[in-house]
Amino acid sequence: MQCEIRPARPDDLDALLAIENTAFSGDRLSRRSLKTLIGRQTAVALVATDDKAVAGYAIVLLNRLNRVARLYSIAVAPDKTGRGIAGALLRAVEAEAGERRRVAVRLEVREDNRGAIALYEKNGYRRFARRENYYHDGMPALRYEKQLGGIEHGERP
Ligand SMILES: CC(C)(COP(=O)(O)OP(=O)(O)OC[C@H]1O[C@@H](n2cnc3c(N)ncnc32)[C@H](O)[C@@H]1OP(=O)(O)O)[C@@H](O)C(=O)NCCC(=O)NCCS
């Protein structure tokens, strides 16, 4: 699949919101939150475009005091799934986090989100914790982590 990945711009907001509203059934980011995240210095928002149209996005938080990056959200338009777009976004997120000297990427995923769990496991993310009652409907979150630069937990660099 040929998709291009670039930083999100303010004029992507409509497209991001449309993806958010069709890809998620709850716990959606609002237009206002998306706008703030796009402009935030401690966040990187990336979009994947397919023939210039925004097909997916990923937002990663890069807290200055934390060497672990947090994948805050990732979504692909439902009519563009299954073509490797989320995988490409994950690789771009990891590259961006690595360039900014982060040692790992962490994320939370709903325990019932089999597609996303398969995506993360296929891309080398390792489950390290579970949080009860994490989402608005009480669903637990599974926490995943991927070490960057090929350094595994417990291994010396
Ligand atoms: C989860 C999501 C981001 C996957 O996007 P995608 O572009 O279809 O993912 P990819 O095509 O890159 O998939 C890569 C791998 O992930 C796994 N995968 C992705 N979606 C899957 C699904 N629905 N069921 C099973 N495996 C899935 C597969 O192993 C796939 O590899 P394969 O196609 O070679 O089998 C997309 O379905 C989505 O936006 N879902 C709604 C929002 C969401 O749940 N975001 C994650 C929140 S934590």
Side-chain angles (χ1 to χ4, degrees), residues 2 10 16 18 20 32 36 39 48 53 57 60 63 76 80 93 98 100 108 112 117 120 123 125 135 140 149:
Q2 278 295 53
L16 294 187
E20 194 69 12
R32 191 185 173 134
T36 306
Y57 80 85
V60 60
N63 186 317
V76 172
K80 301 278 170 71
V93 160
R100 293 173 186 236
E108 291 87 36
D112 64 352
I117 290 169
Y120 300 135
N123 282 279
Y125 286 74
Y135 293 97

Side-chain angles (χ1 to χ4, degrees), residues 36-46 58-64 70 72 96 100 102:
T36 306
L37 286 160
I38 289 179
R40 194 156 135 187
Q41 285 220 321
T42 52
V44 172
L46 299 173
I59 296 172
V60 60
L61 303 183
L62 299 156
N63 186 317
R64 279 195 199 87
R70 178 171 173 224
Y72 188 63
E96 190 73 37
R100 293 173 186 236
R102 297 313 191 274

